[in-house]
Amino acid sequence: MADIIHLDNSNFAEETANGVVLVDFFATWCNPCKMFGRVLEQAAKEYEGSGKIAKVDIDNSPELAVKYNVSTVPHVVVFSDGKVIYEGPGTLTKPEILEFFK
């Protein structure tokens, strides 16, 4: 799989419009975010399908955090062709992450 991509206001709509995209809303100061980031990196290395894993730094893109009702981090929103199909806390395991891409 390609590297994890970083999203902000300038590329969010375009990058989430097609296929399955798992977006991790995180903050650099958040220790649970760092732990979940390692899980995402492992999943990205093993994943071999169509879709993307992406990250949004809520401190750099607060408008996106507000738009998707992110009140705690890490927070995951999964899109399929631009529509939200899942949202919840970023406590997913690697197998749970990979299920979205099957």
Side-chain angles (χ1 to χ4, degrees):
M1 176 177 200
D3 292 331
I4 294 173
I5 58 174
H6 293 272
L7 304 178
D8 57 28
N9 294 323
S10 69
N11 64 353
F12 190 90
E14 179 183 342
E15 293 289 346
T16 59
N18 297 307
V20 176
V21 184
L22 182 147
V23 180
D24 170 34
F25 287 84
F26 78 103
T28 57
W29 46 261
C30 166
N31 284 328
C33 296
K34 293 174 187 175
M35 290 186 291
F36 185 58
R38 287 188 282 255
V39 174
L40 287 175
E41 289 170 8
Q42 292 171 2
K45 288 178 185 175
E46 292 182 22
Y47 174 68
E48 294 183 17
S50 60
K52 302 174 193 171
I53 295 178
K55 297 176 79 70
V56 172
D57 184 335
I58 64 165
D59 292 326
N60 292 335
S61 299
E63 303 87 0
L64 290 172
V66 169
K67 181 176 181 177
Y68 291 98
N69 300 314
V70 176
S71 58
T72 60
V73 288
H75 186 85
V76 171
V77 180
V78 180
F79 296 84
S80 179
D81 294 328
K83 295 180 182 163
V84 175
I85 60 169
Y86 172 87
E87 65 178 296
T91 55
L92 300 171
T93 64
K94 184 170 55 173
E96 289 171 326
I97 293 167
L98 295 175
E99 277 298 312
F100 288 114
F101 300 103
K102 287 188 176 182

